[in-house]
């Protein structure tokens, strides 16, 4: 605005910008903002058998905070994210660094092949791994047969969370690897030349140049992974038919809200749980962002 | 920099020469002056991740070729006695009066209208955020990004109730309309447009008397092509793979997308009296992923350069 001549030009630009953005914002309002507002509204009411909706203020929130099923679901996805996200991002980072180092044979083949699972729908991934986990015609069954042993079933209640972690890891290693790799590609060449003159080795270059340079990508990937973990739904929901005893209707917060609203018809309470989860997710994502980008500031 | 815009991300202050060089950059830049030596050890270690990534796809391909009996009595990672891939494909398309073709058609409809529309909205919106100054720009971005963190279910219930009051549930619109919004696509197009469209070129078009729409179509759109392909591919994947949204919106199997249909075939096995059709689930899964994998392989040059330019580097 500062450098622009004080003519009609600037005014025209104001409206041009909105003209291009308006279609997005109109649909966005319809499918994001309106439902969000309605959700908050729903969470403040209670549906009674007789007499319709009753305004109850924060009563639903008090109920959720004292709800052991809510805490159990939240605890489970927290455990999931603390274990699964570092493993997934760690492997993705190592692969990205390996491909970027130029020391691999056939690096383009690696890059595209490891990315391919991202194109597989969560439904197909969960079905595929679910069959492989199974002892009927799955790999676990095959291995038991061939070696005459009995491995613990990946679909048992002790292992099912780890088995889901494996599916999610498989789906997203390549995607995260590509984000990191793209960030590595835009590091200015001159930095490597300087490091070479200083006699820095490969690991020194990684620690002093590459990792700091892709910090933004690391933070973004971490935030998206945290959001994904808190929203875990598809994989457990599909595995449910293969492992009905191991995956309860409140296995994750999203499964819980889904069963509350569509099986139990408790739409007001479901909205409350969903909003609480949204708040938790935003607070943690924001904290990660602040911590991750602090040194850049 | 007459149309300076302080909120655009990334390196918009690069010289325009650098901007123009950009599309070739990822392919041609050599890493160091002396080429690093190839390492067998590193290749083998990365190969482990490669095997992990490809093994389930290999399993799917192998098992799509087996008869229902062969699924149970042959080793999972090699072919069974009969090679029944073609029979299975025919069976998948003919089972239950060919409902699978219907699901495939539905998925295509959702992708063409939903992902196509989402890409169009993201390109227009991202371009607006990158090129123009307008009040409320910062707020727009904060709201859009903040909304990504809201769980799907927080929106699902109220969206379902809203759509149900509008009489849209159980129709294709219930899947298509929410698919039209891709916050990630908007972000990617913003970053991409900020780098790929030189401001002086637009200024020249304006001086030549081109209106904003005309300069967008004739000058900017061709420059935005790699970013547009990237966004189109990612919204296509998101729509093709969508499960949660149709799960709540669609009850009528005639409007199922492939994902929901496959899951309903799988669930038949655990319902009383339901026919067990695991061979169709497996073959159907293979048919479901094949077009996306083909698209990624065929278009990789475009989307990878689009993603590299849009990569996040503060």
């Amino acid at each position: 605005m500062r450098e622009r001549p004080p003519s009609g030009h600037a005014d025209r630009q104001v409206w041009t910008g909105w003209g291009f953005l308006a279609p997005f914002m109109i649909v966005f309002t319809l499918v994001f903002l309106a439902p969000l507002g309605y959700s908050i509204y729903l969470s403040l009411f209670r549906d009674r058998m007789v007499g319709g909706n009753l305004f109850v203020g924060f009563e639903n929130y008090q109920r959720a905070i004292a709800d052991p099923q809510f805490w159990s679901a939240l605890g489970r996805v927290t455990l999931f994210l603390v274990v699964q996200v570092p493993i997934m991002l760690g492997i993705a980072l190592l692969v990205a660094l390996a491909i970027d180092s130029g020391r691999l044979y056939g690096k383009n083949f690696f890059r595209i092949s490891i990315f391919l699972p991202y194109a597989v729908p969560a439904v197909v991934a969960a079905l595929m791994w679910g069959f492989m986990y199974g002892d009927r015609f799955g790999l676990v069954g095959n291995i038991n047969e061939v070696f005459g042993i009995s491995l613990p079933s990946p679909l048992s209640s002790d292992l099912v969370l780890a088995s889901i972690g494996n599916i999610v890891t498989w789906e997203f290693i390549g995607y995260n690897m590509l984000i990191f790799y793209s960030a590595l590609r835009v590091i200015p060449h001159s930095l490597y030349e300087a490091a070479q003159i200083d006699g820095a080795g490969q690991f020194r270059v990684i620690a002093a140049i590459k990792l700091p340079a892709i910090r933004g990508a690391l933070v973004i990937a971490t935030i998206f992974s945290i959001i994904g973990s808190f929203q875990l739904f598809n994989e457990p929901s599909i595995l449910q038919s293969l492992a009905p005893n191991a995956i309860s209707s409140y296995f994750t917060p999203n499964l819980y809200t889904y069963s509350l609203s569509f099986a139990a018809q408790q739409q007001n309470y479901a909205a409350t749980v969903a909003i609480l989860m949204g708040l938790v997710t935003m607070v943690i994502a924001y904290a990660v962002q602040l911590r991750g980008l602090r040194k850049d500031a | 920099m007459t149309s300076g815009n302080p909120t655009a991300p990334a390196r918009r202050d690069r010289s325009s020469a650098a901007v123009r060089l950009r599309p070739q950059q990822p392919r041609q830049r050599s890493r160091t002056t002396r080429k690093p030596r190839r390492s067998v050890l590193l290749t083998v270690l990365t190969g482990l991740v490669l095997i992990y990534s490809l093994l389930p796809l290999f399993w799917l391909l192998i098992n799509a070729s087996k008869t229902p009996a062969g699924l149970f009595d042959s080793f999972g990672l090699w072919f069974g006695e009969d090679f029944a891939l073609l029979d299975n494909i025919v069976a998948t398309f003919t089972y239950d009066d060919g409902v699978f073709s219907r699901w495939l058609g539905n998925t295509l409809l959702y992708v063409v209208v939903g992902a196509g529309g989402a890409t169009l909205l993201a390109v227009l919106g991202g371009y607006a955020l990158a090129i123009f100054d307008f009040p409320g720009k910062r707020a727009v971005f904060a709201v859009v990004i903040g909304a990504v963190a809201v769980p799907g279910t927080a929106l699902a219930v109220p969206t379902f109730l809203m759509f149900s009051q509008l009489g849209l549930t159980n129709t294709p619109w219930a899947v298509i309309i929410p698919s039209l919004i891709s916050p990630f696509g908007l972000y990617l197009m913003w970053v991409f447009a900020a780098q790929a469209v030189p401001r002086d070129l637009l200024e020249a078009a304006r001086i030549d008397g081109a209106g904003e729409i005309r300069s967008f179509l004739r000058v900017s759109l061709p420059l935005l092509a790699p970013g547009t392909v990237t966004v189109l591919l990612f919204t296509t994947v998101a729509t093709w793979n969508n499960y949660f949204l149709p799960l709540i919106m669609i009850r009528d199997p005639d409007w199922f997308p492939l994902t929901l249909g496959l899951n309903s075939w799988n669930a038949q096995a655990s319902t009383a009296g339901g026919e067990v059709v695991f061979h169709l689930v497996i073959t159907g899964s293979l048919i479901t992923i094949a077009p996306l994998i083909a698209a990624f392989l065929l278009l990789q040059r475009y989307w990878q350069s689009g993603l590299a330019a849009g990569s996040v580097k503060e």
Side-chain angles (χ1 to χ4, degrees):
Chain A
M1 294 296 245
R2 275 157 273 127
E3 296 168 48
R4 202 173 287 135
S7 68
H9 189 66
D11 290 331
R12 200 185 78 206
Q13 287 229 353
V14 166
W15 293 110
T16 322
W18 271 112
F20 280 96
L21 189 61
F24 182 94
M25 288 314 289
I26 290 169
V27 187
F28 181 79
T29 306
L30 182 70
V31 301
F32 266 91
L33 299 183
L36 193 60
Y38 191 35
S39 208
I40 294 168
Y41 169 85
L42 281 177
S43 74
L44 301 174
F45 286 81
R46 191 177 64 211
D47 195 16
R48 292 178 304 177
M49 294 285 211
V50 188
N53 270 337
L54 178 72
F55 180 79
V56 293
F58 289 102
E59 197 183 282
N60 287 324
Y61 290 89
Q62 286 166 346
R63 179 181 158 195
I65 286 173
D67 182 347
Q69 299 191 328
F70 171 68
W71 287 109
S72 134
L74 182 57
R76 199 171 286 112
V77 287
T78 307
L79 174 67
F80 181 90
L81 98 83
V82 169
V83 178
Q84 187 265 340
V85 172
I87 293 177
M88 172 182 69
L89 295 183
I91 299 175
L93 181 61
L94 289 178
V95 173
L97 288 170
I99 294 177
D100 184 65
S101 74
R103 292 167 65 86
L104 289 183
Y105 293 93
K107 68 171 194 171
N108 291 333
F109 178 69
F110 276 103
R111 195 177 56 200
I112 188 73
S113 305
I114 293 174
F115 177 70
L116 279 189
Y118 177 71
V120 175
V123 173
V124 172
L127 286 174
M128 205 160 61
W129 279 101
F131 287 147
M132 287 170 64
Y133 288 150
D135 41 20
R136 285 166 308 187
F137 53 90
L139 285 181
V140 174
N142 288 152
I143 291 169
N144 286 344
E145 211 171 294
V146 171
F147 296 102
I149 51 173
S150 71
L151 293 173
S153 165
L155 296 172
S156 65
S157 42
D158 290 340
L159 289 182
V160 77
L161 190 64
S163 303
I164 292 171
N166 174 55
I167 301 177
V168 176
T169 305
W170 180 80
E171 289 176 285
F172 289 104
I173 277 184
Y175 176 75
N176 288 301
M177 176 270 287
L178 210 66
I179 304 259
F180 298 153
Y181 178 74
S182 306
L184 284 169
R185 297 299 291 169
V186 292
I187 296 175
H189 195 191
S190 55
L191 289 179
Y192 296 122
E193 278 159 5
Q196 211 174 355
I197 291 165
D198 291 348
Q202 289 261 343
F203 289 101
R204 187 92 184 92
V205 169
I206 289 174
I209 298 176
K210 294 190 178 184
L211 291 184
I214 66 168
R215 186 208 294 266
L218 287 167
V219 171
I220 291 280
T222 308
I223 290 174
F224 276 119
S225 304
I226 290 171
I227 295 173
S229 301
F230 279 134
Q231 300 196 8
L232 200 60
F233 179 86
N234 291 354
E235 293 82 3
S237 150
I238 286 149
L239 286 183
Q240 225 171 11
S241 65
L242 296 167
N245 299 323
I247 299 176
S248 61
S249 63
Y250 54 94
F251 192 78
T252 73
N254 256 6
L255 267 179
Y256 189 37
T257 45
Y258 176 76
S259 37
L260 278 174
S261 44
F262 293 99
Q265 299 295 328
Q266 297 194 42
Q267 272 134 3
N268 300 78
Y269 187 49
T272 312
V273 171
I275 286 173
L276 276 179
M277 278 313 295
L279 287 175
V280 170
T281 313
M282 279 193 279
V283 166
I284 292 181
Y286 189 61
V288 168
Q289 191 186 3
L290 280 188
R291 187 161 158 53
L293 296 176
R294 195 174 43 190
K295 284 181 194 156
D296 284 352
Chain B
M1 289 295 161
T2 39
S3 57
N5 109 35
T7 54
R11 293 138 289 151
R12 45 154 305 143
D13 51 349
R14 285 161 147 264
S15 72
S16 41
V19 171
R20 280 191 205 107
L21 280 174
R22 155 151 296 285
Q24 295 136 22
Q25 195 183 27
R27 310 203 109 232
Q28 289 185 350
R29 191 185 57 183
S30 67
R31 202 62 311 177
T32 53
T33 24
R34 105 190 122 76
K35 262 202 158 177
R37 209 177 302 133
R38 299 280 158 95
S39 160
V40 175
L41 179 67
L42 196 62
T43 307
V44 170
L45 287 176
T46 318
L48 294 177
V49 184
L50 179 85
I51 292 171
Y52 173 62
S53 300
L54 293 185
L55 191 76
L57 298 174
F58 179 70
W59 182 93
L60 189 69
L61 192 61
I62 292 289
N63 286 275
S65 78
K66 291 180 184 176
T67 59
L71 278 180
F72 289 89
D73 59 22
S74 62
F75 185 67
L77 284 179
W78 199 241
F79 296 100
E81 283 175 20
D82 302 304
F83 186 82
L85 180 60
L86 282 180
D87 298 341
N88 284 340
I89 291 175
V90 171
T92 304
F93 278 103
T94 51
Y95 181 75
D96 199 9
D97 294 328
V99 71
F100 190 83
S101 324
R102 171 91 200 191
W103 296 337
L104 181 62
N106 292 340
T107 298
L108 286 173
L109 172 73
Y110 301 154
V111 165
V112 169
V113 186
T119 307
L120 183 70
L121 298 186
V123 170
L124 289 171
Y127 180 73
L129 290 167
I131 303 298
F132 301 107
D133 262 332
F134 50 90
K137 196 158 100 167
R138 275 172 188 276
V140 164
F141 191 62
V143 168
V144 172
I145 289 302
V148 185
V150 180
T153 39
L155 300 173
V157 178
T159 311
F160 170 79
L161 294 174
M162 268 174 54
F163 277 39
S164 139
Q165 273 160 21
L166 296 169
L168 293 174
T169 44
N170 241 335
T171 71
W173 294 113
V175 177
I176 289 171
I177 295 174
S179 304
L180 290 173
I181 291 302
S182 165
F184 176 68
L186 182 79
Y187 177 72
L188 205 64
M189 276 323 293
W190 180 9
V191 179
F192 190 86
Q195 294 174 5
V197 183
R199 246 37 53 99
D200 38 5
L201 206 59
L202 280 184
E203 209 53 49
R206 278 175 200 142
I207 290 166
D208 288 348
E212 294 299 340
I213 294 173
R214 194 175 151 83
S215 13
F216 170 72
L217 291 177
R218 300 295 291 272
V219 177
S220 308
L221 208 52
L223 294 169
L224 293 175
T228 308
V229 172
T230 311
V231 172
L232 184 63
L233 215 55
F234 281 85
T235 53
T236 299
V237 171
T239 318
W240 189 283
N241 295 354
N242 201 348
Y243 169 71
F244 184 64
L245 182 67
L247 176 71
I248 58 166
M249 292 293 184
I250 308 282
R251 287 276 163 270
D252 179 359
D254 273 352
W255 286 115
F256 277 6
L258 287 169
T259 49
L260 219 50
L262 283 176
N263 193 46
S264 74
W265 276 357
N266 183 54
Q268 265 180 224
S270 48
T271 50
E275 193 184 356
V276 177
V277 288
F278 287 134
H279 65 300
L280 300 186
V281 177
I282 290 172
T283 311
S285 297
L286 184 66
I287 299 171
T288 301
I289 64 175
L292 287 187
I293 290 192
F296 268 111
L297 293 178
L298 290 174
L299 296 171
Q300 55 168 314
R301 183 190 296 187
Y302 301 99
W303 61 262
Q304 286 192 352
S305 67
L307 205 64
S311 71
V312 193
K313 181 167 165 282
E314 307 294 334

